[in-house]
Amino acid sequence: MRIALIDKDARHTALMDRLLFAGGHLCHPFPASAPFLEWLSVHTCDLLIVDSWAGDLPAESVIPKAREILPGLPAIVTMTLPRESEIVSCLHAGADDCVLKPVRGPELLARVNALIRRAGVQRPPHRSRHLFGEYAFDSTHYVVRFDAEIVSLTPKEFRFAVLLFANLSRPVSRTHIFETVWVNSRDGKRSRTVDTHASRLRSKLRLMPERGYRLVPLYGYGYQLDRVPVEPPLELAAPPAAGTPAVTQPPKRYNTRLNDSP
């Protein structure tokens, strides 16, 4: 997972970087919140770890600002000998967890992994078959099976689709899409290739509200795939069976006689 780390202490940052790397995570360190927020407006991450004082702002201010850019971003605050009121203040500001400094490696990784599980942050698993609801993905042949249909996809379309389903109801940034779908290629960044692929997936996999799905672009950010309730079709009156005489209403009769004058 990609983890953003804000800590003004370079030595502690280096320690955290080594620990997170050992746990299989990629760390993006920042000495203050300003460069982090600027970076987040273009890139994306799966988790934020921020010191109680982020170099220029308190963590209580940084977390809401980060979530204005990336809604639902999980956050951990690191603290040195905190008072109870400081911990409570961070939790009320939106922190999901608080960790004491200096951090202990096994505990930090356990807390990071537990928070990522609770937040539902997922990358497509590395296996040949994926099952998301009624959609079965076969990465060996790049085909998708659903509703008794078998649809062939290109490798990029396949990776894009698995990424969207793995993050159902979560926003996926263009940067995340580029890194996962195009890997080292820059084709997607030079054109509207991402939008074209999204349109193809919407059509090929029938990701439409009448089937319970909606694939929507997020202006200036990326895409999001959602489940939506399917409205039942309107019931129409059944036609009369063959041989059944049609029932007709008798014509209305109106009294046209005028009352006699006295």
Side-chain angles (χ1 to χ4, degrees), residues 24 58 63 70 78-79 100 117 121-122 140 153 162 167 175 194 203 215 218-219 240 250 258:
I63 294 173
L70 183 57
T78 58
M79 315 182 81
L100 298 182
R117 284 196 306 271
V121 179
Q122 297 184 24
T140 303
L153 301 177
V162 172
N167 291 278
T175 301
V194 173
S203 176
L215 177 58
L218 304 177
Y219 179 74
L258 300 176

Side-chain angles (χ1 to χ4, degrees), residues 12 23 28 47 79 86 108 160 188 202 206 238-239 247:
H12 190 260
H28 297 276
L47 173 67
M79 315 182 81
E86 293 176 321
L108 172 68
F160 195 1
R202 188 182 292 109
R206 297 168 59 196
V247 178

Side-chain angles (χ1 to χ4, degrees), residues 14-50:
L15 171 63
M16 293 279 286
D17 192 3
R18 290 195 299 271
L19 291 174
L20 293 170
F21 181 79
H25 304 291
L26 178 62
C27 181
H28 297 276
F30 301 90
S33 68
F36 161 69
L37 294 172
E38 182 179 355
W39 175 86
L40 190 62
S41 64
V42 179
H43 302 85
T44 188
C45 61
D46 303 306
L47 173 67
L48 168 64
I49 299 179
V50 55

Side-chain angles (χ1 to χ4, degrees), residues 115-130:
L115 179 53
I116 287 175
R117 284 196 306 271
R118 292 201 304 269
V121 179
Q122 297 184 24
R123 288 184 184 276
H126 296 287
R127 57 176 184 264
S128 60
R129 294 181 183 274
H130 316 269

Side-chain angles (χ1 to χ4, degrees), residues 63-134:
I63 294 173
K65 288 178 178 292
R67 286 180 178 158
E68 288 178 3
I69 302 173
L70 183 57
L73 176 65
I76 294 177
V77 177
T78 58
M79 315 182 81
T80 303
L81 299 176
R83 296 190 299 271
E84 181 182 5
S85 59
E86 293 176 321
I87 297 175
V88 171
S89 177
C90 284
L91 294 174
H92 281 319
D96 298 287
D97 200 356
C98 295
V99 178
L100 298 182
K101 296 172 64 175
V103 297
R104 293 174 291 187
E107 178 187 352
L108 172 68
L109 294 177
R111 288 178 179 273
V112 166
N113 292 332
L115 179 53
I116 287 175
R117 284 196 306 271
R118 292 201 304 269
V121 179
Q122 297 184 24
R123 288 184 184 276
H126 296 287
R127 57 176 184 264
S128 60
R129 294 181 183 274
H130 316 269
L131 183 62
F132 301 102
E134 64 272 36

